[in-house]
Amino acid sequence: MSNIGEDDRVRVHAGEAGEDIYAEDGSIRSDFLAMVGAAIADRDVLFLRQHVARLHESELGDLLEAIQPDQRLALVRLLGDDFDLTALTEVDEAIRLEIVEQMPNAQIAAAIGDLDSDDAVYILEDLDHEDREEILAQLPFTERVRLRRALDYPEQSAGRRMRSEFVAVPPFWTVGQTIDYTREDADLPESFTEIFVIDPTFKLLGVVDLDRILRTKRQVRIESIMRETNHPIPAEMDQEEAAQLFEQYDLLSAAVVDDNGRLVGVLTIDDVVDVIQEEAEEDIMRLGGVGDEELSDTVTEISRSRVPWLLINLVTAFISASVISLFEATIEEVVALAILMPIVAGMGGNAGSQTMTVTVRALATRNLDIHNAWRVARREAGVGLINGVVIGCLVGLVAGFWFQDVHIGGLIATAMLINMFAAAMAGIMIPLLLDRAGADPAVSSAVFVTAITDTTGFFSFLGLATWWFLST
């Protein structure tokens, strides 16, 4: 039994109006976590229903991620039908699967029926085929057909992200008919800002904003006030491309159509914000060679995702080492070279990472393409030369003073200039070439850029040193 008393517990009002479960740093308050943990341990269902079941889905998702794994499952069981399944769209995939695998399919099916179709698809797509089919079989026919259609679209496509609930009317209806329809039909979405206009085959004809309807007389026909749909999105379009359309044209929602131009759903800004965040996180993780790793993954899963890229880095490290071995005699004669080598390679690697990060992000957002690649490459070459001169001079002065040898200073300054320039060019050209070849530059660029900067840095510094000392 927990040592948190009932008197302490009732003082927690998280989830009620005006209360906040978060501390100043954005994490969930430790006292609230303690109260929830005590309520779970004491099986205090009343407290959990009053103060946990009322939480917003995003707050409940944060709570699920903050508590211990055994507490998560106990919390879901204790809440039963009061558990908001939408919260599972706010947690890591590993946590979501951990919870749904312990829930009876009948409970999931009952909860799925109360979700928006996009949230329902988000949960169903991670389930085993057998469990998914068993859950779908328990849903009403119309809802089952909508969800199956969305699940048939490719992963990370607009069709998977769309909501199947929308309001659509024929063009010959009047404004009055449309208003009466939206008031009386109980099956319409809870919230919407646009009414789509379709023909008898569901082909999209146009759209009418709600404010336009409210400002128009009842007897006016819909076709006379509808406008052309702003950039309808093909259902099979990649979700990242769809998000770019929202960003480019400042959309709040967009119709989703199939190959025949028939309306199948609507994509809304709240879903697009999630897409933008997911894609940005994915690019950052891939640049670090950690794939789609999540905080909730196990040690084995994390290790399995990281080892392949570490092995590739190991190969490139041996290549760099082989370059060093070519100048073994020079290094034995001038020990200072061995001390200064990491500086040249390290600075080149950092410079290459800077350019590579900017390039990969520009490719992801479609701000960099074949039309402006040469201009950007020239800019980065200039930046590499300027930075090489500045950093090279600074390092050369320090090295010359350190070893009391002006030649050493001049050699490392020259090598630094060469490597900084090479790093800038590698940082932009490698992602461009990988993108043209159809590979994901976010995944592959870092390994090649690091290999080039290390190899170029070692070869230029040691090669120049060998040439200088042999010639003198």
Side-chain angles (χ1 to χ4, degrees), residues 80-86 88 103-116 119-120 123 135 138-139 143 147:
D81 294 339
D82 292 321
F83 176 71
D84 185 1
L85 205 66
T86 312
L88 298 185
M103 295 178 65
N105 287 339
Q107 182 182 353
I108 298 176
I112 285 288
D114 296 328
L115 301 182
D116 291 334
D119 292 331
I123 294 172
I135 292 170
Q138 301 179 47
L139 299 178
E143 186 173 353
L147 294 178

Side-chain angles (χ1 to χ4, degrees), residues 284-305:
I284 293 173
M285 299 288 276
R286 286 182 173 179
L287 279 173
V290 293
D292 57 354
E293 180 181 311
E294 296 178 340
L295 291 177
S296 58
D297 289 346
T298 64
V299 172
T300 304
E301 292 170 338
I302 294 174
S303 177
R304 189 184 303 120
S305 69

Side-chain angles (χ1 to χ4, degrees), residues 323-453:
V323 172
I324 297 174
S325 68
L326 297 175
F327 303 96
E328 183 177 353
T330 306
I331 296 173
E332 289 178 352
E333 291 185 14
V334 186
V335 179
L337 300 179
I339 298 174
L340 297 174
M341 280 191 309
I343 298 177
V344 180
M347 291 301 298
N350 289 334
S353 296
Q354 289 176 335
T355 306
M356 178 193 66
T357 302
V358 173
T359 303
V360 169
R361 189 57 188 159
L363 287 170
T365 57
R366 305 302 170 90
N367 291 323
L368 180 62
D369 53 33
I370 191 65
H371 302 293
N372 62 356
W374 177 240
R375 176 176 58 82
V376 176
R378 284 184 299 172
R379 185 198 68 181
E380 292 299 329
V383 171
L385 287 173
I386 293 174
N387 290 346
V389 170
V390 173
I391 301 299
C393 290
L394 181 60
V395 173
L397 289 172
V398 173
F401 179 78
W402 186 1
F403 294 100
Q404 297 297 305
D405 189 336
V406 67
H407 301 134
I408 292 291
L411 289 172
I412 194 172
T414 305
M416 187 69 73
L417 172 61
I418 294 172
N419 201 27
M420 295 285 276
F421 176 77
M425 298 310 298
I428 187 171
M429 297 307 298
I430 287 177
L432 282 171
L433 292 174
L434 290 171
D435 186 63
R436 290 295 300 275
D440 188 346
V443 177
S444 312
S445 296
V447 173
F448 295 111
V449 171
T450 301
I452 288 177
T453 55

Side-chain angles (χ1 to χ4, degrees), residues 72-334:
R72 294 182 197 128
L73 301 178
L75 175 62
V76 173
R77 285 195 294 267
L78 289 171
L79 288 178
D81 294 339
D82 292 321
F83 176 71
D84 185 1
L85 205 66
T86 312
L88 298 185
T89 64
E90 305 288 338
V91 301
D92 288 347
E93 179 181 354
I95 295 177
R96 181 166 59 254
L97 290 174
E98 173 191 346
I99 292 176
V100 297
E101 286 175 358
Q102 299 297 322
M103 295 178 65
N105 287 339
Q107 182 182 353
I108 298 176
I112 285 288
D114 296 328
L115 301 182
D116 291 334
S117 58
D118 56 333
D119 292 331
V121 169
Y122 196 79
I123 294 172
L124 290 172
E125 65 182 355
D126 291 329
L127 298 178
D128 293 337
H129 178 74
E130 293 182 1
D131 289 332
R132 184 193 307 167
E133 291 301 314
E134 182 179 340
I135 292 170
L136 288 173
Q138 301 179 47
L139 299 178
F141 175 78
T142 302
E143 186 173 353
R144 181 166 66 248
V145 170
R146 285 205 306 259
L147 294 178
R148 285 187 189 278
R149 180 174 57 187
L151 289 166
D152 286 339
Y153 289 115
E155 291 186 22
Q156 297 190 331
S157 65
R160 281 287 184 97
R161 283 288 189 177
M162 70 181 183
R163 294 184 182 181
S164 301
E165 302 90 359
F166 52 83
V167 182
V169 300
F172 54 81
W173 272 20
T174 65
V175 169
Q177 287 177 289
T178 304
I179 292 175
D180 293 340
Y181 169 63
T182 58
R183 287 174 176 171
E184 297 169 3
D185 195 314
D187 295 330
L188 297 182
E190 291 184 3
S191 62
F192 54 92
T193 59
E194 297 176 322
I195 295 179
F196 298 101
V197 185
I198 56 175
D199 69 7
T201 65
F202 260 74
K203 187 172 182 179
L204 183 63
L205 301 177
V207 65
V208 183
D209 296 319
L210 283 183
D211 62 328
R212 184 69 184 275
I213 289 179
L214 294 175
R215 292 189 177 106
T216 306
K217 296 184 181 299
R218 290 181 59 89
Q219 65 270 22
V220 177
R221 291 164 65 97
I222 289 294
E223 61 186 350
S224 65
I225 62 171
M226 74 178 186
R227 58 175 172 80
E228 184 179 348
T229 307
N230 285 336
H231 310 285
I233 295 176
E236 298 198 1
M237 175 183 283
D238 184 86
Q239 63 179 14
E240 188 172 5
E241 295 181 29
Q244 289 165 358
L245 287 178
F246 270 72
E247 180 182 7
Q248 181 176 358
Y249 297 106
D250 297 327
L251 303 178
L252 293 178
S253 63
V256 180
V257 297
D258 63 12
D259 295 336
N260 298 314
R262 293 177 299 190
L263 181 65
V264 293
V266 58
L267 198 60
T268 55
I269 187 64
D270 60 318
D271 297 316
V272 171
V273 169
D274 291 338
V275 170
I276 293 173
Q277 181 178 357
E278 289 175 9
E279 295 292 343
E281 289 179 353
E282 182 179 294
D283 287 345
I284 293 173
M285 299 288 276
R286 286 182 173 179
L287 279 173
V290 293
D292 57 354
E293 180 181 311
E294 296 178 340
L295 291 177
S296 58
D297 289 346
T298 64
V299 172
T300 304
E301 292 170 338
I302 294 174
S303 177
R304 189 184 303 120
S305 69
R306 295 185 186 182
V307 163
W309 292 106
L310 292 176
L311 292 176
I312 295 174
N313 283 327
L314 181 62
V315 173
T316 61
F318 273 110
I319 295 174
S320 300
S322 66
V323 172
I324 297 174
S325 68
L326 297 175
F327 303 96
E328 183 177 353
T330 306
I331 296 173
E332 289 178 352
E333 291 185 14
V334 186

